[in-house]
Coordinates of all heavy atoms in Angstrom, one line a residue:
A99 N 274.3 110.9 175.2 CA 273.6 110.0 176.2 C 274.2 108.6 176.0 O 274.3 107.9 177.0 CB 272.1 110.0 175.9
R100 N 274.5 108.1 174.8 CA 274.9 106.8 174.6 C 276.2 106.5 175.3 O 276.5 105.3 175.6 CB 275.0 106.4 173.1 CG 276.1 107.1 172.4 CD 276.1 106.9 170.9 NE 277.2 107.4 170.2 CZ 278.4 106.8 170.0 NH1 278.5 105.6 170.4 NH2 279.4 107.4 169.4
T101 N 277.1 107.5 175.5 CA 278.4 107.3 176.1 C 278.2 107.2 177.6 O 279.2 107.0 178.3 CB 279.3 108.4 175.8 OG1 278.8 109.7 176.3 CG2 279.5 108.6 174.3
L102 N 277.0 107.4 178.2 CA 276.8 107.3 179.6 C 276.4 105.8 180.0 O 276.3 105.5 181.2 CB 275.7 108.2 180.1 CG 276.1 109.7 179.9 CD1 274.8 110.6 180.1 CD2 277.2 110.1 180.9
L103 N 276.3 105.0 179.0 CA 275.9 103.6 179.3 C 277.1 102.9 180.0 O 278.2 103.3 179.8 CB 275.5 102.9 178.0 CG 274.3 103.4 177.3 CD1 274.2 102.7 175.9 CD2 273.1 103.2 178.1
P104 N 276.8 101.8 180.8 CA 277.9 101.1 181.5 C 278.9 100.6 180.5 O 278.6 100.1 179.4 CB 277.1 99.9 182.1 CG 275.7 100.4 182.3 CD 275.5 101.3 181.1
G105 N 280.2 100.7 180.9 CA 281.3 100.2 180.1 C 281.8 101.2 179.0 O 282.7 100.9 178.3
R106 N 281.1 102.4 178.9 CA 281.5 103.4 177.9 C 282.2 104.6 178.6 O 281.9 104.9 179.7 CB 280.3 103.8 177.0 CG 279.7 102.6 176.3 CD 278.9 103.1 175.1 NE 278.4 102.0 174.3 CZ 277.8 102.2 173.1 NH1 277.6 103.4 172.7 NH2 277.4 101.2 172.4
T107 N 282.9 105.3 177.8 CA 283.6 106.5 178.3 C 282.7 107.7 177.9 O 282.4 107.9 176.8 CB 285.0 106.7 177.7 OG1 285.8 105.6 177.9 CG2 285.6 108.0 178.2
P108 N 282.3 108.5 178.9 CA 281.5 109.7 178.6 C 282.1 110.6 177.6 O 283.4 110.7 177.6 CB 281.3 110.4 180.0 CG 281.5 109.3 181.0 CD 282.5 108.3 180.4
L109 N 281.4 111.2 176.7 CA 281.9 111.9 175.6 C 282.8 113.1 176.1 O 283.9 113.3 175.5 CB 280.8 112.5 174.7 CG 281.2 113.1 173.4 CD1 282.0 112.1 172.5 CD2 279.9 113.6 172.6
C110 N 282.4 113.8 177.1 CA 283.2 114.9 177.6 C 284.5 114.4 178.2 O 285.5 115.1 178.2 CB 282.4 115.8 178.5 SG 281.0 116.7 177.7
T111 N 284.4 113.2 178.8 CA 285.6 112.6 179.4 C 286.6 112.3 178.2 O 287.8 112.5 178.4 CB 285.3 111.3 180.2 OG1 284.3 111.6 181.2 CG2 286.6 110.8 180.8
E112 N 286.1 111.8 177.1 CA 286.9 111.5 176.0 C 287.6 112.8 175.5 O 288.8 112.8 175.2 CB 286.1 110.9 174.9 CG 286.8 110.6 173.6 CD 287.9 109.6 173.7 OE1 287.8 108.8 174.6 OE2 288.8 109.6 172.8
F113 N 286.8 113.9 175.4 CA 287.3 115.2 174.9 C 288.4 115.6 175.9 O 289.5 116.1 175.4 CB 286.2 116.2 174.8 CG 285.2 115.9 173.7 CD1 284.0 116.5 173.8 CD2 285.6 115.2 172.6 CE1 283.0 116.3 172.8 CE2 284.7 114.9 171.6 CZ 283.4 115.5 171.7
A114 N 288.2 115.5 177.2 CA 289.1 116.0 178.2 C 290.4 115.2 178.1 O 291.5 115.8 178.4 CB 288.5 115.9 179.6

Side-chain angles (χ1 to χ4, degrees):
R100 71 186 182 91
T101 63
L102 294 169
L103 296 174
R106 298 198 174 190
T107 302
L109 189 57
C110 292
T111 304
E112 175 68 21
F113 292 157

